[in-house]
Amino acid sequence: MLRERLKFKVVPNLRENFIQKDAQIWTIGLAEYPKFLAKEVWISLNDHTEVTLIIF
């Protein structure tokens, strides 16, 4: 039950910081909504600047 797919271009040396901040801000905020089930972070194997967030 995919609800949203967000794709970002992130400078590779800032990627881990981006993922941590996303978890601290967005994941915690989304968890307050009753219909939020989960969120996955996908890092492209082919493009090291691409980070995709999958929200259920």
Side-chain angles (χ1 to χ4, degrees):
M1 176 189 298
L2 173 66
R3 291 287 181 209
E4 190 168 12
R5 179 182 60 168
L6 303 170
K7 206 178 264 193
F8 297 92
K9 291 287 188 178
V10 181
V11 178
N13 64 333
L14 298 176
R15 186 177 59 216
E16 289 306 315
N17 187 48
F18 173 85
I19 292 169
Q20 288 175 355
K21 293 295 182 187
D22 173 73
Q24 291 171 353
I25 298 167
W26 283 106
T27 305
I28 290 172
L30 288 171
E32 295 181 17
Y33 288 90
K35 294 190 178 189
F36 173 73
L37 300 175
K39 187 171 93 177
E40 296 178 1
V41 178
W42 297 354
I43 298 170
S44 173
L45 297 175
N46 301 321
D47 180 354
H48 297 292
T49 67
E50 187 178 286
V51 177
T52 303
L53 305 178
I54 306 294
I55 302 166
F56 302 92

